[in-house]
Amino acid sequence: MHSEPPCSKLNCFFCTMNEPEPSVRRAKLSQCFKEMPLRDDQEHVLVLSGLWNISMAQPDDPEFPALGIFECMAKLIHRGIIDQNWLLRGQNIYIPYYAAHIIGSYTMDNPQFAEKAVKSGVVLPLMELLRGKMSWVEQRVAVRALGHLASHEKTFEAVVVHEVEIISLAMEIASNCLEVVYKEFVGIKPRKRPKYHCDLLTRGVGELELQSRKAEEWASQLQCWSLYLLNCFASKERCLNLICNTEFLNNLCGMWGGLVNLTSPAGIGLLRTLCSSKTGRENVANSRQVMESICNVSRSSDDWQNMAIDCLLLLLKDPETRYGVIDIAASSLVDLVELRSLGESKMVGETISQTLLQDYYKIKFGFLKLKSQEAEKALEELWELRVENIKRDKLMSEQDMKERQVLVGKLKKQGNQKFWTGKIEKACKIYSKALELCPLNFRKERIVLYSNRAQCYLLLKNPAAAISDTTRALCLSGTVSPHSKSLWRRSQAYDMKGLAKESLMDCLMFINSRIKSEHTKRVRIPYYAARMINKQMNATWLFANAKSKLCIKKEKTVDEYESKGEYQLQEMMDAKNMGFPGKPMI
């Protein structure tokens, strides 16, 4: 056997990592980090990809942060921005991306590392990437790293120095990044896609389908991390007047991340933070579009339904905004008053009832009049439900309860008969009569009555009433095992109103409830549900609006393609075909 020849490179990183003596190893690593930004070495990308793997796997290991990795990464980013010739040499085009990613990985949850990073001068190079000096790919890791630095108390002040520019850039990125990624990557011919983007997205081994799927994921992350960065400032009530731009708030309602970032609160999370401040509440309350969007989320199967409810309650509890939003919010919240729990929140319905009725006597006795008769009617109905009907049920004897149950059952059968004979309006009235007589503790009977009446409203082309009734049925059934028919009917109602996201969420929950049902042995997704999902997935595709807005045709895109940034990266890639070194992990 022949032994491998010794490495001839001075301060070789890989040889240094194999050094058995800890003190010698640390000294050599420190020297490597000092010299790396000054040397031209084709192994730099392999070194950084290895460092990235280490930073992701061991983000709390203090060794590299103590030896100067942050200063090294900052200088490498800076060199890539100011030295075009160096950036285009060999595989150096990958370096700024890896460097920013390494900074973000170490500073994510460690405030001590974040302090070291700030003292090492990482903020200014990251700002250059955030400004778009390279491309959206580098913006993604830069905004992630800056978000981590802004999330720690001691390093927030270092980011605040650039707060106006950061907030402006983050708002612009959040609003336009989907259009940018579609225009500069997803929507162009595969052969015109920047090769280094393709390699970073797929680790150098993916096909076109994987490229597009990862681009969608990264675009969603870019938007959500931009919102997270804005949230860091909003939570400290910094530059709220800038964040509360009317156009941006309206755009914010649609920033839900598709189905990629299920753990991110996205736009609704930032709205919830804004509603915690006086300035934020005033601006949110003044936008009818934002209010209607929050109301839609509050009555949906969205994972962040509780945040939408919180937004509405914060606005209603503030005397300055209460009567500006109650006309819009009352009708939606009244449907949720029998919701017992939502995630970790308990007594949700009771809290809603108390908030809505805190000054109802002013309306009841004519001291106050709302602008909307619909809102007044909703509050009157809430009073009947939560006050008058509770009193009525307490006065009923056991015999009276049994008689009511029999009567309600007869009315339900009558309503069903009218429904199946095509007399929909009469069936609707009978179900309403049954609901008036039904005691509140007959939850199962009320669930069916609300759901049946909702079906009538669907046939009568009244989707708003159908959403109201199905929401009430779902609140009564609970979030653990929601009433599946009501989910499907609400999905149809939202579809009739053109609310694709809400319709999709309900349809997915409907299928999920069927799968979990103990009575279902062999689950098949109903054809009608599959068609609905296909329709709404197309409507809510992350790049659907970007594609529609830009009206891009593949033939035209090739000629019009122009990359964003100082160096026009696509032109540089065309001028020089870049390879990919050893498929580094990303």
Side-chain angles (χ1 to χ4, degrees):
M1 295 183 64
H2 301 283
S3 60
E4 294 185 3
C7 180
S8 59
K9 291 185 178 181
L10 185 65
N11 290 327
C12 174
F13 178 83
F14 300 105
C15 295
T16 301
M17 290 294 291
N18 294 324
E19 171 62 48
E21 178 59 39
S23 60
V24 176
R25 178 177 178 271
R26 285 194 295 270
K28 288 185 176 181
L29 281 173
S30 179
Q31 191 65 27
C32 281
F33 288 143
K34 288 179 181 178
E35 295 182 0
M36 194 181 300
L38 306 175
R39 297 201 320 263
D40 286 336
D41 191 333
Q42 291 305 300
E43 289 192 353
H44 275 357
V45 174
L46 290 175
V47 172
L48 262 69
S49 65
L51 289 172
W52 177 84
N53 279 313
I54 294 171
S55 69
M56 291 292 289
Q58 305 170 39
D60 293 323
D61 188 336
E63 182 178 35
F64 289 168
L67 296 176
I69 193 171
F70 292 128
E71 186 174 358
C72 176
M73 297 303 108
K75 289 181 177 179
L76 286 171
I77 295 171
H78 181 68
R79 185 173 183 182
I81 291 167
I82 65 170
D83 190 345
Q84 179 178 343
N85 292 328
W86 178 82
L87 186 68
L88 290 177
R89 194 176 303 138
Q91 308 302 317
N92 293 344
I93 191 73
Y94 300 91
I95 288 177
Y97 172 87
Y98 278 117
H101 215 318
I102 290 167
I103 293 170
S105 298
Y106 275 119
T107 58
M108 183 184 304
D109 298 313
N110 197 311
Q112 288 77 28
F113 292 173
E115 288 184 64
K116 285 182 179 293
V118 166
K119 291 177 181 178
S120 300
V122 302
V123 174
L124 288 178
L126 290 173
M127 284 293 300
E128 291 296 305
L129 296 181
L130 189 69
R131 293 181 183 115
K133 288 298 179 69
M134 290 192 65
S135 74
W136 63 271
V137 170
E138 288 79 19
Q139 274 186 326
R140 168 181 169 266
V141 287
V143 75
R144 169 180 177 259
L146 287 168
H148 297 329
L149 295 176
S151 67
H152 302 299
E153 287 293 331
K154 292 186 177 180
T155 53
F156 178 72
E157 293 303 321
V159 183
V160 165
V161 174
H162 311 277
E163 66 177 337
V164 174
E165 184 181 10
I166 286 178
I167 288 172
S168 299
L169 287 169
M171 289 169 61
E172 180 184 354
I173 292 169
S175 299
N176 302 324
C177 65
L178 302 184
E179 183 179 332
V180 169
V181 176
Y182 185 82
K183 180 180 178 181
E184 298 186 0
F185 190 87
V186 176
I188 65 176
K189 287 186 176 181
R191 65 183 179 83
K192 296 297 291 183
R193 291 175 175 178
K195 187 178 185 303
Y196 90 103
H197 283 183
C198 297
D199 291 333
L200 288 173
L201 284 162
T202 64
R203 304 182 183 183
V205 295
E207 299 298 329
L208 294 178
E209 183 181 352
L210 180 59
Q211 287 178 16
S212 297
R213 190 167 70 247
K214 291 296 290 185
E216 182 175 354
E217 181 180 342
W218 282 22
S220 177
Q221 290 172 348
L222 176 56
Q223 185 177 71
C224 289
W225 284 335
S226 298
L227 295 174
Y228 176 78
L229 180 56
L230 289 171
N231 195 72
C232 291
F233 287 91
S235 62
K236 297 181 184 298
E237 301 190 18
R238 302 295 298 249
C239 289
L240 291 181
N241 289 326
L242 186 60
I243 297 174
C244 291
N245 173 276
T246 302
E247 183 180 357
F248 179 69
L249 290 181
N250 291 338
N251 292 336
L252 200 59
C253 300
M255 298 180 192
W256 66 296
L259 298 179
V260 180
N261 280 310
L262 293 176
T263 58
S264 173
I268 195 68
L270 180 54
L271 285 171
R272 168 64 177 79
T273 301
L274 292 174
C275 286
S276 298
S277 66
K278 181 177 178 60
T279 301
R281 287 192 295 272
E282 290 174 352
N283 283 274
V284 171
N286 287 333
S287 174
R288 186 174 185 86
Q289 181 178 334
V290 173
M291 287 300 305
E292 289 177 349
S293 296
I294 294 174
C295 287
N296 289 334
V297 177
S298 73
R299 295 187 301 177
S300 73
S301 297
D302 195 291
D303 288 336
W304 298 107
Q305 178 190 6
N306 59 332
M307 280 196 175
I309 294 173
D310 282 349
C311 288
L312 296 176
L313 292 178
L314 286 168
L315 291 165
L316 288 169
K317 289 176 181 178
D318 184 348
E320 299 295 324
T321 56
R322 178 177 177 83
Y323 296 106
V325 302
I326 195 168
D327 291 294
I328 303 174
S331 299
S332 297
L333 287 177
V334 164
D335 297 333
L336 300 166
V337 295
E338 293 191 86
L339 183 62
R340 293 182 176 180
S341 62
L342 187 60
E344 297 181 356
S345 303
K346 307 299 180 185
M347 304 293 290
V348 177
E350 187 63 32
T351 302
I352 292 172
S353 297
Q354 292 176 3
T355 303
L356 286 174
L357 295 176
Q358 68 183 30
D359 56 0
Y360 177 67
Y361 70 93
K362 294 181 182 179
I363 299 172
K364 185 176 177 63
F365 297 108
F367 303 124
L368 176 67
K369 191 166 183 64
L370 302 181
K371 297 177 183 177
S372 168
Q373 292 183 351
E374 183 182 356
E376 287 192 1
K377 184 179 178 181
L379 293 176
E380 181 182 354
E381 186 179 353
L382 174 58
W383 179 268
E384 289 289 327
L385 180 70
R386 304 302 290 171
V387 179
E388 301 297 339
N389 287 2
I390 289 177
K391 291 179 182 178
R392 178 200 67 184
D393 291 355
K394 284 183 178 180
L395 295 175
M396 278 190 191
S397 64
E398 187 175 341
Q399 183 62 30
D400 290 336
M401 282 285 187
K402 290 180 180 179
E403 291 176 358
R404 281 292 179 95
Q405 189 172 22
V406 172
L407 178 58
V408 168
K410 288 181 179 180
L411 287 171
K412 186 181 76 171
K413 287 182 180 179
Q414 291 176 18
N416 292 346
Q417 290 172 354
K418 295 294 183 184
F419 179 87
W420 291 116
T421 56
K423 299 176 181 178
I424 308 302
E425 290 185 1
K426 289 185 177 180
C428 189
K429 290 179 180 179
I430 294 172
Y431 291 139
S432 297
K433 182 64 175 177
L435 282 166
E436 289 177 11
L437 297 173
C438 190
L440 297 181
N441 61 342
F442 291 177
R443 299 177 72 87
K444 290 183 179 179
E445 289 84 350
R446 293 173 65 216
I447 289 171
V448 174
L449 289 169
Y450 274 126
S451 193
N452 287 359
R453 190 171 71 173
Q455 182 63 36
C456 293
Y457 285 134
L458 284 174
L459 295 174
L460 294 171
K461 306 298 181 184
N462 188 349
I467 291 169
S468 178
D469 273 0
T470 48
T471 301
R472 295 181 184 207
L474 289 166
C475 288
L476 287 167
S477 64
T479 55
V480 177
S481 55
H483 189 240
S484 61
K485 286 185 178 179
S486 294
L487 283 168
W488 170 242
R489 288 165 182 168
R490 194 169 68 175
S491 177
Q492 291 176 282
Y494 274 128
D495 179 50
M496 290 172 67
K497 294 194 73 174
L499 296 170
K501 182 186 77 170
E502 288 77 8
S503 176
L504 175 61
M505 290 298 188
D506 279 343
C507 194
L508 291 172
M509 285 293 291
F510 164 66
I511 292 173
N512 188 52
S513 67
R514 286 175 63 91
I515 293 174
K516 290 183 177 180
S517 173
E518 296 178 1
H519 306 292
T520 306
K521 295 181 180 179
R522 298 182 64 183
V523 178
R524 290 184 179 179
I525 298 177
Y527 175 67
Y528 54 84
R531 285 187 62 187
M532 181 71 83
I533 287 178
N534 184 60
K535 175 184 179 181
Q536 308 303 12
M537 286 288 285
N538 288 331
T540 58
W541 179 47
L542 196 67
F543 299 113
N545 290 335
K547 183 179 180 180
S548 175
K549 183 178 179 181
L550 295 172
C551 299
I552 294 179
K553 294 181 179 180
K554 291 184 178 180
E555 296 82 4
K556 189 177 180 181
T557 306
V558 175
D559 298 330
E560 292 182 349
Y561 179 87
E562 181 180 2
S563 181
K564 181 180 180 182
E566 182 180 341
Y567 296 140
Q568 299 297 312
L569 291 178
Q570 177 59 31
E571 295 179 8
M572 293 192 290
M573 296 300 99
D574 290 341
K576 183 173 183 178
N577 183 24
M578 295 290 180
F580 194 70
K583 301 175 184 176
M585 298 294 288
I586 177 63

